[in-house]
Amino acid sequence: MTRNATRKASGSLGDDGRPSWRRRSGLRVERHRATMAHLASVYPAHTDTGFGERGPYIGVNVTGGGSGFFFDPFELYQSGHLTNPNVLVTGDIGSGKSALVKAFLGRELAVYGPRRMVTILDPKGEYGPFAAARGLPVVRLHPGGADRLNPMEHRGDPTETVNRQSLATALVAGVLGRPLDPTEDAVLGWAITTLARPGRPFTLADVAATVADPADELVALSRRTPLELAQAATPVVFALDKLLTRTLAGMFDGPTSVRLDWDRGPGFVIDLSAAYGDDEALPLVMLAATSWLAAAHQRDSPRRVIQVIDEAWAAVRHGARHFQGSLKLSRTYGVSTWLVCHRPADLTAQADDGTATAKIAAGLLSDIQTRVVFRQPPDQVPVAAELFALSERERTWTGQFPRGRALWRLQQRGAVVHTVLTDTEQAVTDTDQKMRSTQGSSLTNSGTDSA
């Protein structure tokens, strides 16, 4: 068989001797596979519509053809993209979490003015430069200081007695390292109910005094002698004494001493850095502070509040149930709570697996629809993938993101966004100044983002 006959038999040539593909109509283009990076250069005008342009500019939508990415939880709630305004920001040290949060807060105040208020719980004391730049007063809580907050403060809310009982129970259980037994819980709850009846302000010191001297009414209800009831309540008395004389002393053991402008002020920062080095005290201090904040935000106001809880793991260690309850009120009072932590597992690792507390902590993640995932350490990538239901490609991204880049997941939609900072914002958000100082080193770091 000749060569031409062989080619004709294989179908590559027609009867007229021409290749078969040339007899077909139109232009034949070879099959080709390309990435979005290549297609973006071929079709440079194609971009993702994203979630609209209402709200402050965040940065570049990397997976949207380089378009701008804008975000405001309240705008997205009104447009139907979100059904709750809370946000979780997680990422490794130096990945850009703080830079994003501080830039976003500053832009919220710049775009919306008095329609927005910013409240920040700062356990590391790193929001000082931001507060100074934006005119936010700083409430510095430390033993022997002049600033005090009363977590038992009276605000006239119909549920505040239950909330006070929940807080006191969580604080005492945190000190004891175990749940309260029925008698201890009853004595503590009754003491708060008794103090709340007149509608007058009271403090944790008043609660401790009432628990130490139970009234005849409670003695009769318990069907115990006064001595037996006093003995049963002794662990609660000692726990409250420790809170008042050591853990919360000079911070939450008296009436509120600070005056804040809730109507027109830009917000404030609560500096808890005095307790940051104490792993035992910090969760209790964070619990008291978040409870005070949650109660303070339950007011009738047209303003929308952005509440930042840094080192959020400490806030849920002893008070996951109490904290979850305050998050569920976000829509009612117009509050967007931003939880910031290094690893997503930090929020679920504060209790033994299978316990009610562990399940509640895990439920916090499901209650938050906006998740901002910066670079994760290798051992945390599988955890993040499971908790956030990441795709295989998203899982790969989260382990390789450069500083300042994150995966934004809003319900079922997502985008990879690189935060863009101005020179002024870089100076205000930088938490690595000492590490990047040229003094004592011949090396410099060109990075501009913060942790």
Side-chain angles (χ1 to χ4, degrees), residues 216-301:
D216 295 339
E217 178 183 354
L218 183 59
V219 173
L221 182 64
S222 67
R223 296 185 178 181
R224 300 187 182 190
T225 66
L227 179 59
E228 291 173 338
L229 186 59
Q231 289 175 338
T234 296
V236 178
V237 174
F238 285 156
L240 288 170
D241 179 72
K242 181 178 180 180
L243 288 170
L244 293 169
T245 60
R246 283 179 282 175
T247 309
L248 304 183
M251 296 180 283
F252 301 96
D253 57 346
T256 297
S257 62
V258 297
R259 292 184 177 275
L260 301 168
D261 185 357
W262 291 94
D263 297 322
R264 300 291 298 177
F268 55 88
V269 175
I270 300 179
D271 186 338
L272 301 175
S273 57
Y276 185 64
D278 190 336
D279 290 342
E280 179 183 352
L282 180 62
L284 296 171
V285 171
M286 289 281 286
L287 176 58
T290 54
S291 298
W292 183 87
L293 267 178
H297 288 149
Q298 295 177 18
R299 59 182 66 238
D300 185 14
S301 172

Side-chain angles (χ1 to χ4, degrees), residues 58-74:
I58 300 298
V60 176
N61 187 341
V62 178
T63 50
S67 59
F69 185 84
F70 303 81
F71 181 81
D72 177 81
F74 305 109

Side-chain angles (χ1 to χ4, degrees), residues 93 97-98 121-127 270-274 276 282 286 310-311 340 342 431 451:
I93 296 174
K97 301 185 304 298
S98 294
L121 199 58
D122 181 15
K124 292 180 289 188
E126 65 174 30
Y127 281 82
I270 300 179
D271 186 338
L272 301 175
S273 57
Y276 185 64
L282 180 62
M286 289 281 286
D310 207 344
E311 298 292 334
V340 184
H342 293 301
T431 58

Side-chain angles (χ1 to χ4, degrees), residues 121-173:
L121 199 58
D122 181 15
K124 292 180 289 188
E126 65 174 30
Y127 281 82
F130 172 82
R134 295 295 175 179
L136 273 67
V138 178
V139 179
R140 292 183 171 83
L141 300 181
H142 58 87
D147 294 342
R148 280 181 173 80
L149 302 177
N150 178 18
M152 296 284 116
E153 204 162 61
H154 173 65
R155 299 189 181 278
D157 185 81
T159 64
E160 69 179 2
T161 297
V162 175
N163 293 335
R164 290 162 164 176
Q165 292 171 336
S166 174
L167 171 60
T169 299
L171 288 171
V172 172

